[in-house]
Amino acid sequence: MNRRVRTYPFHLKEISEAGIFSGYASVFDVLDYYGDVIKPGAFTKTLAAWKKKDRLPPILWQHNSTMPIGPHLEMVEDAKGLFVRGQLLIDVIDKAREAYWLLKNKVISGMSIGFDIFEGGATYDGKAGVWNLTDLDLWENSLATFPANPAAQVEEVKSILALGKLPAPSEFE
């Protein structure tokens, strides 16, 4: 499998001292700048797998696996997309504290998911030139600088992704 990242903008509404934020890491049925559309149900299998592990994917800084900045407290699919609630560990991780201030000052404008595509989890609509993603293996969610999908938003932050390109059809086989 080839790992992919997709970045979404968010709107900062509130910041408190706890480092908790919530919003959408992915929004369904929206064409992103990479030519992908994530469909409802795309996270069902991966969320069940994470539940069996009794944990959720980490929150990373800019997709850097050496820079985790906090845990997700909740991650669920709803009618809009992949809703997440997480906590930046601002008291113990310098990069999390930095992310908090960048969010608070509206420097950072995106969340980004890192994922693999399960076999058969993508179909190409040649007429529309769009990849429909239906079964994703989510491995992380990041705070990141550049958004790809204008519809996903963090709805609430209490104190409180990546550049890519459209993969060739053969990469999905």
Side-chain angles (χ1 to χ4, degrees):
M1 288 190 225
N2 294 322
R3 290 207 167 147
R4 311 248 186 271
V5 295
R6 293 297 177 260
T7 308
Y8 305 94
F10 63 90
H11 174 72
L12 180 65
K13 284 188 174 182
E14 181 181 351
I15 298 176
S16 78
E17 298 304 314
I20 303 209
F21 69 92
S22 63
Y24 287 85
S26 178
V27 174
F28 298 135
D29 293 320
V30 174
L31 179 66
D32 70 20
Y33 297 141
Y34 306 110
D36 293 338
V37 175
I38 296 177
K39 305 304 280 183
F43 300 101
T44 303
K45 186 191 306 183
T46 194
L47 290 178
W50 281 103
K51 186 174 183 173
K52 283 182 181 180
K53 296 177 191 177
D54 195 29
R55 60 183 291 246
L56 292 169
I59 303 166
L60 301 182
W61 176 249
Q62 307 281 359
H63 295 292
N64 187 333
S65 64
T66 67
M67 290 187 194
I69 56 176
H72 282 98
L73 306 173
E74 179 182 9
M75 191 174 269
V76 296
E77 271 195 39
D78 64 18
K80 183 175 180 177
L82 182 63
F83 175 81
V84 300
R85 189 168 60 87
Q87 182 169 17
L88 298 176
L89 299 177
I90 59 177
D91 292 335
V92 293
I93 299 174
D94 289 339
K95 200 51 89 171
R97 192 169 29 263
E98 202 175 304
Y100 162 74
W101 286 109
L102 291 169
L103 286 167
K104 183 174 180 174
N105 289 286
K106 301 179 181 177
V107 175
I108 296 298
S109 62
M111 273 201 294
S112 182
I113 57 173
F115 59 91
D116 290 327
I117 300 170
F118 286 118
E119 187 173 333
T123 56
Y124 186 69
D125 179 342
K127 185 175 181 182
V130 170
W131 282 101
N132 289 299
L133 306 182
T134 57
D135 199 5
L136 303 179
D137 184 9
L138 185 67
W139 44 275
E140 59 97 357
N141 181 38
S142 289
L143 292 178
T145 306
F146 299 107
N149 185 321
Q153 296 188 1
V154 165
E155 295 183 337
E156 190 174 354
V157 176
K158 296 180 179 177
S159 190
I160 354 188
L161 281 171
L163 300 175
K165 61 182 179 181
L166 179 65
S170 62
E171 289 182 74
F172 282 98
E173 296 174 2

